[in-house]
Every structure is written in structure tokens, then in C-alpha cells.
Amino acid sequence: LVNFMCRYEQALSDDYIVPYIGEDAWHTDVYGNGTVMQEDLKSQILESVHEMYTLKEHADEYNVALTDAEKTTIEETAKAFMDANSKEAIAELGATQEIVEEMLTLYTIKDKMYDAIVAEVDVEISDEEANMRGYDIVTISAEGYYDESYQYVEYTDEEKEAAKEQAEAIAEAVADGETLSDAAEAEGLTVTERTYAAADTGLEEVLKTALDELEEGEDTGLVEGESSYYIAVLTAETDEEATNTNRETIIAERQDNHYTEVLTAWQED
């Protein structure tokens, strides 16, 4: 089974891996982790099989079983696969009707077990937790930039001073009543539209603190970060689209975390 799954994945991957990496792709340490792609794939498949047999072992606990219709579909799909491939391909893959059926059975049970396990998760998300606030921002690097070759170039002292003056000019223009967009455009820069949540850890803390203090329509003034200057305007207390997406993201994360916790505990036992 593992050999077939490895060969099957190899067959699916060759068309886009070999042209980029070369004919010896499967014997190449692409990721620099000390193992070649062949060994990486074997490890991934073994872990996948370990996962699926673990789920199959505990299927009764969740009343998960294949229906007669699912068994029939698996059998017919496996037969169609065997019939669609040449004898040479089947031999190269190490495929048999039984092995293909086993793989499809494991995948089906995994899907049903995942659904059953994540159904235990509380999907009630408070409006406060889901809420995403919208803001427009101009970010100016205070330290350097990336050139056309994607190499980082550090600013000279004069360039650092110029960057600060540019940020100050935008902040002052906004304070005098100009829109952030117009103020940025006057300096040859553009505004970026973004959203953030109360629990967002991706924002630099000094910027998040400044945003948290704003009401809709207010601006942060000039915010000095560790390596960038920021000028932002809060555009929406609640961005409906982003909030709905965030709610779905939180639920998905809860489900994935719960699934992993359950699976890990079983595998440790």
C-alpha cells in the first residue's frame, strides 16, 4: 500500500517537478534538510498511512462506517483505475485491485472521521472575537530597501533622514485635513487597505496600540516602528466581509486544533 501511494504520488508530481528540478529530482535535497525528495515523500506517505489507520482503529467510537453505496463506489472506482492503465503502468505503480480499494477506503474513512471529530467543536464565535477593523496605511521603511535583484540595501544616513521627513510630511498633511491617499500621492507613495482583529499578533505592537485608540475616521499621526514609519487612518469599526471571513477562519482553526489533539492522543497511546 505504501509503495503504491508513493509511486502514485510520484507519477502525479513528475510533470511539474522534473522540468524545474531535473531528471534526478527525486534524489535531490531540494529543501536543504539533509534528505532527498524520495525520502521526504516516503516519510510523508508513512505518516499519512499512520494517521489513516489510527482513524480507522477508532472509527467505532464515532459510529463511522462505510455504507454499502460507498463500498460499491470504491470497488467500481478501483476497477476503473486498473482498467484505465496499461499493464506496464500497473506494474510500475505496484497496484492491485485490493490495494487501490484499501487506499480509497482509508481516504473515505479519514474524511468521515474528520467531520465527526470536528463536529465536537464549539462554533459559537462572539462578535468581539470575530470583529475585523478596517484601516488605510502608508508604510515607509526607515532602514533600507530591496533592489531589483531582491538584495537588501541599507539606507545612507541622508536617505534615512529623507525617509523620516517624507513620513512627517504625510502625517502633517493628514493632520491639516488632506486625505491619506492625497498626502501619500504627493510623496509618490500609495495607500494600502488592511484589516486587523483584536487578537492580531501580526501587527507591530506600537502600530496596533495606535490603531486601537482610534475611532472611525481618525488617524494615528506619525508612528515610529522598529524599522518603519506608519501613518494610518481607521476606515471602519467593523469590516463586514473581513469579519465574516475571520469568523470562518477561527472556526477552522478550532476544528483543526481539536482534530490534531484527538489524533495525537490516539497515536501516543
Side-chain angles (χ1 to χ4, degrees):
L1 174 69
V2 173
N3 178 70
F4 166 66
M5 291 177 66
C6 286
R7 288 298 193 182
Y8 182 67
E9 184 64 31
Q10 178 190 11
L12 292 177
S13 304
D14 270 346
D15 285 345
Y16 65 86
I17 286 180
V18 173
Y20 288 99
I21 302 176
E23 293 294 331
D24 204 36
W26 294 102
H27 302 282
T28 302
D29 181 4
V30 176
Y31 304 108
N33 57 8
T35 58
V36 297
M37 282 187 63
Q38 172 177 296
E39 298 306 322
D40 291 337
L41 178 60
K42 287 179 182 179
S43 296
Q44 292 165 13
I45 296 296
L46 281 168
E47 186 53 44
S48 177
V49 170
H50 180 200
E51 175 183 1
M52 292 190 290
Y53 274 117
T54 301
L55 294 170
K56 183 180 179 182
E57 184 73 15
H58 292 268
D60 289 346
E61 298 172 27
Y62 284 82
N63 297 316
V64 167
L66 297 186
T67 65
D68 290 339
E70 288 169 336
K71 292 177 181 178
T72 298
T73 298
I74 287 171
E75 182 178 348
E76 292 174 348
T77 302
K79 185 177 186 307
F81 175 85
M82 297 296 291
D83 293 342
N85 286 280
S86 66
K87 291 183 179 179
E88 291 79 10
I90 291 297
E92 189 72 15
L93 289 168
T96 66
Q97 174 77 18
E98 293 75 16
I99 287 175
V100 178
E101 284 186 23
E102 179 72 352
M103 182 185 74
L104 295 174
T105 296
L106 290 172
Y107 278 137
T108 304
I109 291 174
K110 176 185 175 180
D111 288 343
K112 298 179 76 167
M113 282 292 285
Y114 180 86
D115 290 342
I117 292 170
V118 302
E120 301 170 332
V121 174
D122 178 11
V123 295
E124 291 297 321
I125 310 296
S126 70
D127 292 340
E128 182 180 0
E129 182 179 3
N131 189 60
M132 296 287 283
R133 306 174 91 209
Y135 66 100
D136 289 346
I137 188 169
V138 174
T139 303
I140 300 172
S141 174
E143 300 292 339
Y145 66 97
Y146 286 92
D147 63 17
E148 295 178 353
S149 301
Y150 303 103
Q151 299 300 310
Y152 187 73
V153 179
E154 188 173 344
Y155 282 152
T156 62
D157 290 342
E158 291 78 10
E159 288 172 326
K160 289 180 181 179
E161 184 61 31
K164 184 173 183 179
E165 290 176 356
Q166 188 179 44
E168 290 173 340
I170 294 174
E172 289 173 7
V174 172
D176 289 339
E178 284 191 41
T179 66
L180 181 60
S181 180
D182 287 343
E185 186 177 349
E187 294 293 329
L189 300 173
T190 57
V191 170
T192 302
E193 297 180 3
R194 293 181 180 170
T195 57
Y196 80 105
D200 198 322
T201 58
L203 289 177
E204 189 169 350
E205 187 61 32
V206 65
L207 173 60
K208 185 175 183 300
T209 298
L211 286 168
D212 285 344
E213 295 174 353
L214 300 182
E215 293 185 3
E216 192 171 312
E218 294 181 340
D219 68 272
T220 61
L222 177 60
V223 177
E224 297 190 28
E226 288 189 9
S227 59
S228 297
Y229 299 112
Y230 307 104
I231 307 96
V233 174
L234 189 71
T235 57
E237 185 59 47
T238 297
D239 183 305
E240 295 292 346
E241 183 177 352
T243 296
N244 290 335
T245 299
N246 189 43
R247 191 183 303 276
E248 294 172 0
T249 299
I250 294 171
I251 291 172
E253 288 177 348
R254 285 185 184 181
Q255 291 174 331
D256 286 344
N257 289 339
H258 178 62
Y259 172 79
T260 300
E261 288 172 2
V262 172
L263 176 65
T264 300
W266 285 339
Q267 289 183 326
E268 287 177 350
D269 287 341

